[in-house]
Amino acid sequence: MKVAKFGGSSLADAFQIKKVCDIVLSDPEKRIVVVSAPGKRTKDDIKVTDLLIAVAKARLAGNDYEKEIKAVIERFNSITSDLNISDVLPEIENTLRTTASASYTNDVKYLDSVKAMGEDCCARLVAKYLNSIDVPAEYCNPKEKGLFLKHDANGKAVILNESYANLSSLATSDKICIFPGFYGYSKEGEIITFSRGGSDITGSILAGAVKADVYENWTDVDNVFAVDPRLVNNPFPITEITYDEMRELAYAGFNVLHEEALYPVFVRGIPVHIKNTNNPSSSGTKIVSKRTHYDSLVTGIAGESGFCTVTINKYLMNRQIGFVMNLLKIFSDEGISIEHMPSGIDSITFIIRKKNFTEEKQDRVLKKIYSEMNVDSVSVERDLAIVMIVGQAMANSVGIMARAASALGNAGINLKIVNQGASEISMMFGVSEAYCKYAVRVLYKELFRY
Ligand code: ASP
């Protein structure tokens, strides 16, 4: 059995939805289909989720939201009429209006409930369309099927474990299940959405629950590429990549799948297959636990700005037991997560995402370090980009670090930080933010010989 998730661009209009249904019907193993909300039809179009956010914001601001909700209804109207299923429009309009006008006590919960309707209505109409062409398919409501979520301590939506057992029954349905992505319910019956792009997580959860043979993630590109296609022409396509490699690249800015989407399939060893709705015959990219082949020595190169460093110097630091632990406690008490910790014998650097380290937090942290840790000096730099070279095959080859570092040096890029873990799956360079994209291009040219 396969779980197939289709993204917003695959469902943007009736033409795209027909393609999706052809793909589903061409393979009897695709029994569970997860849909996003209709996305952009053209570059300047607006995603249905963004139209819904505008509805909710207008209501929350105490304004009339008729214009905003009409824009959403119009999107669904044009899809349903082009698919010849206009009879489903009243149900969709009713769902949208009831949700938007419902009474609420909490702004965030209200926003979640409205935001989720793009996926919900899309699932209803895809099921209806399949029925209209005599295919047994049903809209599956996440509450009825038991997809329960809660908010963790940081306010992030996380799955309740019991959901996996509840959702496993989807495997035995004799109809194709059309499941809306992006949201589930709290045990109290309120809608909770994942963060943006979260339909990828729903697909992964369902694949995990039914122990699918593969989780197909259908999007609008043929492959994941070895480098951001906005940075180089015709980048090298990745046909196979491990979960670990993908995670490393996602960390440094590859946003192919939602960051949290790999976990449910990763722990169960279910492969992910990224495919193009607009070119289904292309081979796509497989994300697997063990590679079967390597097309290149390096799998991918990514870079991301927005980091800063806090460097602490203390003479004889290496002899002080518990020093690093006490430093870490200062950061954790402020709720700051540490991304990397390169160190020397008398110095240690904490790499942190800037967005998690506001100027106020920085002041408090520095004061505590000076008052509690008896250090020699602390310095903060708020201008760091991280560039990663990722590839499992690198572990068995010599000289990649030397080639990368000299290519960057020859290009005049100063390396502020260099880091490589013993797993040798990736190497990381810290450079000034202004050099981030340039560094990625230089490394790509060197390592892929283009
Ligand atoms: N529709 C939501 C978004 O635009 C979720 C998704 O498409 O995955 O973020």
Side-chain angles (χ1 to χ4, degrees):
M1 171 179 289
K2 296 175 184 168
V3 171
K5 179 259 166 182
F6 292 87
S9 60
S10 303
L11 297 146
D13 58 21
F15 186 67
Q16 288 298 90
I17 290 175
K18 282 186 183 167
K19 279 190 204 167
V20 164
C21 292
D22 286 347
I23 290 167
V24 171
L25 297 177
S26 68
D27 179 357
E29 285 181 43
K30 295 195 209 324
R31 304 295 304 163
I32 300 175
V33 176
V34 176
V35 295
S36 280
K40 294 183 180 193
R41 292 160 293 187
T42 58
K43 215 170 110 260
D44 302 322
D45 198 12
I46 306 176
K47 293 179 176 186
V48 164
T49 306
D50 290 308
L51 294 175
L52 286 162
I53 291 172
V55 172
K57 290 205 165 147
R59 168 105 194 271
L60 288 170
N63 298 332
D64 179 65
Y65 56 86
E66 190 52 30
K67 189 175 105 234
E68 285 78 7
I69 202 161
K70 278 231 169 85
V72 183
I73 294 166
E74 186 36 46
R75 277 298 295 273
F76 283 111
N77 177 27
S78 84
I79 298 175
T80 51
S81 73
D82 289 350
L83 289 175
N84 265 328
I85 49 164
S86 291
D87 52 329
V88 71
L89 191 65
E91 178 187 326
I92 288 175
E93 178 161 356
N94 184 35
T95 306
L96 291 167
R97 287 196 182 275
T98 311
T99 314
S101 63
S103 60
Y104 63 91
T105 49
N106 177 303
D107 290 12
V108 176
K109 288 181 182 174
Y110 172 73
L111 182 61
D112 271 8
S113 68
V114 177
K115 239 179 357 186
M117 289 304 109
E119 273 69 13
D120 189 81
C121 294
C122 189
R124 287 172 197 271
L125 83 78
V126 171
K128 264 281 167 16
Y129 173 66
L130 286 170
N131 294 158
S132 79
I133 54 170
D134 294 328
V135 175
E138 64 168 344
Y139 155 77
C140 293
N141 181 274
K143 179 151 70 181
E144 282 162 23
K145 301 297 176 189
L147 174 48
F148 293 117
L149 308 177
K150 65 168 187 177
H151 287 117
D152 71 4
N154 302 316
K156 199 178 80 181
V158 289
I159 186 164
L160 294 182
N161 241 337
E162 64 195 78
S163 307
Y164 285 104
N166 299 339
L167 295 164
S168 65
S169 65
L170 294 175
T172 52
S173 172
D174 50 2
K175 293 182 177 156
I176 298 176
C177 156
I178 312 293
F179 203 101
F182 192 36
Y183 78 96
Y185 284 83
S186 69
K187 290 300 278 208
E188 292 73 40
E190 286 160 328
I191 284 184
I192 297 181
T193 58
F194 293 113
S195 54
R196 295 297 301 266
S199 299
D200 285 344
I201 310 176
T202 312
S204 180
I205 289 171
L206 297 195
V210 301
K211 302 193 172 58
D213 296 311
V214 56
Y215 168 32
E216 291 182 346
N217 192 290
W218 290 80
T219 176
D220 51 13
V221 286
D222 279 351
N223 294 90
V224 178
F225 295 103
V227 68
D228 184 341
R230 287 167 302 186
L231 298 183
V232 303
N233 287 332
N234 297 322
F236 193 81
I238 300 175
T239 55
E240 194 179 64
I241 182 169
T242 65
Y243 302 113
D244 295 343
E245 289 174 316
M246 194 67 196
R247 162 88 186 106
E248 300 257 354
L249 288 168
Y251 174 82
F254 258 48
N255 36 30
V256 178
L257 281 182
H258 189 291
E259 231 200 337
E260 293 151 44
L262 276 183
Y263 191 71
V265 282
F266 160 72
V267 287
R268 293 168 179 84
I270 297 168
V272 182
H273 198 173
I274 295 176
K275 296 272 293 173
N276 188 355
T277 302
N278 304 321
N279 186 14
S281 58
S282 131
S283 64
T285 299
K286 284 196 176 122
I287 311 175
V288 293
S289 45
K290 261 208 162 60
R291 298 275 295 261
T292 56
H293 67 279
Y294 294 97
D295 296 329
S296 53
L297 196 52
V298 169
T299 304
I301 301 169
E304 187 158 69
S305 295
F307 292 87
C308 53
T309 55
V310 182
T311 302
I312 293 123
N313 288 290
K314 162 116 183 115
Y315 197 64
L316 294 180
M317 180 190 283
N318 64 329
R319 303 248 184 105
Q320 282 204 18
I321 292 170
F323 185 83
V324 175
M325 191 180 75
N326 292 333
L327 275 175
L328 283 171
K329 181 151 187 331
I330 294 178
F331 286 97
S332 88
D333 286 349
E334 282 291 336
I336 299 164
S337 100
I338 310 285
E339 306 288 327
H340 300 269
M341 279 192 322
S343 64
I345 47 165
D346 285 343
S347 73
I348 184 156
T349 298
F350 294 94
I351 301 179
I352 301 164
R353 286 192 194 258
K354 248 193 266 184
K355 65 174 194 278
N356 302 331
F357 198 52
T358 56
E359 305 273 350
E360 300 93 76
K361 280 198 180 181
Q362 175 178 326
D363 283 351
R364 283 199 298 272
V365 166
L366 259 58
K367 270 194 196 117
K368 278 196 196 164
I369 295 177
Y370 275 119
S371 64
E372 295 172 18
M373 302 294 299
N374 191 23
V375 297
D376 298 329
S377 66
V378 184
S379 57
V380 178
E381 261 200 71
R382 298 186 70 89
D383 165 32
L384 185 76
I386 278 179
V387 177
M388 309 261 284
I389 303 173
V390 176
Q392 233 159 36
M394 294 194 300
N396 304 319
S397 60
V398 177
I400 299 187
M401 174 67 90
R403 276 171 64 193
S406 70
L408 292 169
N410 291 339
I413 300 172
N414 176 38
L415 298 181
K416 298 179 178 214
I417 293 168
V418 176
N419 198 9
Q420 185 196 274
S423 74
E424 292 186 61
I425 177 181
S426 70
M427 51 187 79
M428 182 203 95
F429 299 102
V431 300
S432 270
E433 288 184 322
Y435 285 120
C436 180
K437 289 181 180 156
Y438 181 42
V440 171
R441 285 196 191 101
V442 166
L443 290 173
Y444 183 75
K445 189 157 180 255
E446 170 65 32
L447 298 168
F448 283 86
R449 295 205 176 280
Y450 273 76

